[in-house]
Amino acid sequence: MTTASDPAYPAHWEADVVLRDGGTARIRPITTEDAERLVSFYEQVSDESKYYRFFAPYPRLSAKDVHRFTHHDYVDRVGLAATVGGEFIATVRFDRINAQGRPASAPADEAEVAFLVQDAHQGRGVASTLLEHIAAVARERGIRRFAAEVLPANNKMIKVFTDAGYQQKRSFEDGSVRLTLDLEPTAESLAVQRAREYRAEARSVRRLLAPGSVAVIGAGRAPGGVGRAVLRNLLDAGFTGRVYAVNRALGAERREIEGVPAFGSVGLIGEPVDLAIVAVPAEQVPQAIAECGEHGVQGLVVLSAGYAESGPRGRERQRELLRQARSYGMRLIGPNAFGIINTAADVRLNASLAPEPPPPGRIGLFTQSGAIGIALLSGLYRRGAGLSTFISSGNRADLSGNDFLQYWYEDPDTDVVLLYLESIGNPRKFTRLARRTAAAKPVVVVKGARHSGSMPPGHAVPVTRVPDATVSALLRQAGVILVGTVTELVDAGLLLAGQPLPAGPRVAILGNSESLGLLTYDACLSEGLRPLKPLDLTTGATPADFRAALAAALADEKCDAVVVTAIPWVGENGAMESGDGQVLADALREAATTSPAKPVAVVHVEIGGLAEALSAAARTVRPTAGAPAPSATTSRAPGRSQALPGANPAPPLQPHPAPAATEERGIGGGTPTPAEERGAGGSTTADGGPTRHSPPNREATRIPAYPAAERAVRALAEAVRYAQWRRQAADPGKVGEYDDIDEPGTAALIERLLGPAPDPRGTTLAAADAEDLLARYGIAVHPTLPAPDAPRAVEAARRLGYPVALKTTAPHLRHRPDLGGVRLDLADEHQLARAYAELTASLGKPEELKPVVQAMVARGVDTVVRASIDSAVGAVLSFGLAGAASELLGDTAHRLIPATDRDAAELLRSIRTAPLLFGWRGSAPVDTPALEELLLRVSRLVDDHPEVVAVALEPVIVAQHGLAVLGATVRLAPPPPRNDLGPRRLPSY
């Protein structure tokens, strides 16, 4: 008999999961203690579902049935249950069988599987999720196939099996459908699993951001306090749903606070509550959560502090909070959160501590810090930017940036995603989701705590050994726009939300200040852009001159973007005029809305009101037919101004000639072609979804303004690089395929080298074994012979052929030619003997130096190729020049494995010292195709064999024709666990 406290109990099978509708459930093994739960669950199942399960009327379980369904050995007989609030909502079990269908033990590798889902929870994806988990358990126990008998009328269950993506066979026997599933994961099954994950997690977020009713727990009876402030903000924003206040001091009596119904507990509210805002002291939170769970609340925003940010006791309190919330199927934002905002016209939710909500817009903003959230909201508000949604997650015990990325990918009201992150709990998953989202809309990230060496207070996440620079490079590979400061985050967000993507790096510069134009020109060169000669309109230029010059620049086919620089101009009487900026803003807007769609940015100095006028233009729009008329106030909050709730998104901006004169820029009708989607090209996203994202009409005429040329150009440069990534994402390249790769032989060699009981810490292969393994993937290591004394060094040189190199392999001298441990171009025995004597005299005894002899190779550029596997990030391929460039300056490029031919080409070209490979200062270019092939072969080796946890080829001498690998190190270990290949589960820390 097995209980949850029994050592044989497989606790690692427990998992919290998100179901199809966005709710959560807990999956765990069934134990002998579950008899009453099983009977209660079965009583709530309909007769029809029981008939489908047992193929006959089966009104109740016998004592024998209960014993059989609760007693498992977790090897040949396994049962899992999905629970909500501690009660069963579904079960699944398998029994190992032999070829005749009778009970068996290993090595039999087939099992019969059966499901039962409570009727009230059917259609939520419970059975599909249970199938993923029971299949993973079966594979762990050596079972390779599932067999299932299903009645033909049980279409729902048949669909669960057929939609799973596993290879399967179907037959009709004795009035039932027999299904056989091969449990080995396939590309299709993984795609199905991830698609379900995307949809489920996006819906779980949507339930929190668009609730029909909200209860504020901890709303004080007197003004003041966090709860009362959130309640006031909810009402002032004009929330469209029902609002309730909860205060324990009210007891059973119903009252009103701020004009809304107030109760002593959530349980006394006589109607459903979708979202609860918890603003009570930490010690009172468990009771509030329990009341919410019992009442069926779907989601929580916990503003209360005193959790992981306060120390070990708070960290344990946070773990218990998460366990409690998930036990009731609720998702959680927080604790220590600042709140959430949704500006959609049909929601108008401000469940945050921000008293002044942002106007509606097209930017989604996520931050892990309340203080940074306040700063970002303030900065965006000052510059006239609108938001679709805002989330400040605090300690992010449950919902994180990964979840909101999936929501924003599908959200039609969000065109640009901005994230401030201090930690990334699952970099592998974040990178995958970011790539998917970035293929549809820009994702801009600023990461804090990059160099602190510790996790931010309150963040309980897995630790990765990969340096932050490597993680940053992998994020850029995924299309993420990575910036260094929150100011750059806002700068980039403004440009991307209001302007089309540039078709290339050519930038026109025009303005009435020659000096400001030159500063802009220099900034463009520094950012890798191709600026055209600045056009100086002189200080006497009028707004009409600006309008004409901007229209001409936008119409120029040699221009991809325009930067307008402006200082106060000289008036008719010779005095400087700055005006209020409205006249110049109108002129620039007129030129932009009647010209080909290209991005425009403005750099201004001391022109009062220009930035405000340019951003105000964004909110001057025509309400579309059928939209509600704009109103100055709402009935809920007299005197509080409102943005236009009825404004609808417009079709994408078109990077082609201007629309007809009757259309405003970006407001034309019709569906754009794929090539018209923000000028980025391509008709599909990286995961096969539709290309999307274009600024709507209310943002289309907003021209971002910057107080410094460097800031405007940096934002524009990020847009140029992102647009290039979008164009290339449609064709990611191909993984290397080579006929001389011996994959089976390599697998057999690895198995022999690891042995029957491999060291979990791994082992570094001897040089001969490393060379043997690499050779099976077509990677030849240049021969090296030991030279423990001078005579044997001479003998080695005779075997290899002169000229030779003599070098030490001692760890403290390895790859350090600057320390004198290498002698090159030794042409004969005399030179070799003299070099050997000098080496041992100056650096130490031969047994300390471990000298070796190698034949000389053609001169070239010394490079280093590495690959490594991190459990959090995955397999990473790295490249750089050997020596100080990579070791001292960190000039190394990284790509995720498996790398494609495009990745390999970009690796070579993305390091700062890349010109040395392509003929710097008249030198001959080296054989980069051979180097790219080497990178692809190393990538294949690590991808095909996860036991190869590290490879280092150093140095790799790349000559004008060919290359030579002079040194190689290979490390083997049992494969690290892959958290992205198993069944879906929420992280638990």
Side-chain angles (χ1 to χ4, degrees), residues 509-511 513-523 532 534-535 565 709:
I509 303 168
L510 61 92
S513 168
E514 182 180 10
S515 298
L516 195 53
L518 291 175
L519 286 173
T520 305
Y521 184 92
D522 290 343
L532 307 179
L535 174 61
T565 62

Side-chain angles (χ1 to χ4, degrees), residues 198-291:
Y198 295 151
R199 290 192 299 268
E201 295 188 0
R203 286 169 183 162
S204 72
V205 171
R206 190 178 301 114
R207 298 201 320 175
L208 273 71
L209 291 178
S213 56
V214 176
V216 180
I217 303 174
R221 291 175 291 181
V226 172
R228 187 65 177 262
V230 173
L231 179 62
R232 184 69 255 165
N233 293 342
L234 263 172
L235 301 175
D236 288 352
F239 176 57
T240 59
R242 302 181 305 278
V243 180
Y244 307 99
V246 177
N247 188 313
R248 292 178 59 188
L250 297 178
E253 185 179 355
R254 168 174 169 159
R255 296 187 181 181
E256 286 191 354
I257 297 177
E258 293 280 4
V260 303
F263 303 88
S265 73
V266 174
L268 296 176
I269 301 174
E271 297 177 326
V273 175
D274 297 329
L275 176 66
I277 312 299
V278 182
V280 298
E283 58 270 16
Q284 298 178 19
V285 170
Q287 180 180 347
I289 301 302
E291 293 174 357

Side-chain angles (χ1 to χ4, degrees), residues 146-157:
F146 273 164
E149 299 284 344
V150 185
L151 288 175
N154 193 356
N155 294 319
K156 291 181 180 179
M157 200 67 247

Side-chain angles (χ1 to χ4, degrees), residues 18 22 26 325 338 349 403 515 549 585 710 733 851 938 965:
V18 183
R26 183 163 185 79
F338 185 73
L349 173 72
D403 301 278
S515 298
E710 295 79 10
V938 172
V965 179

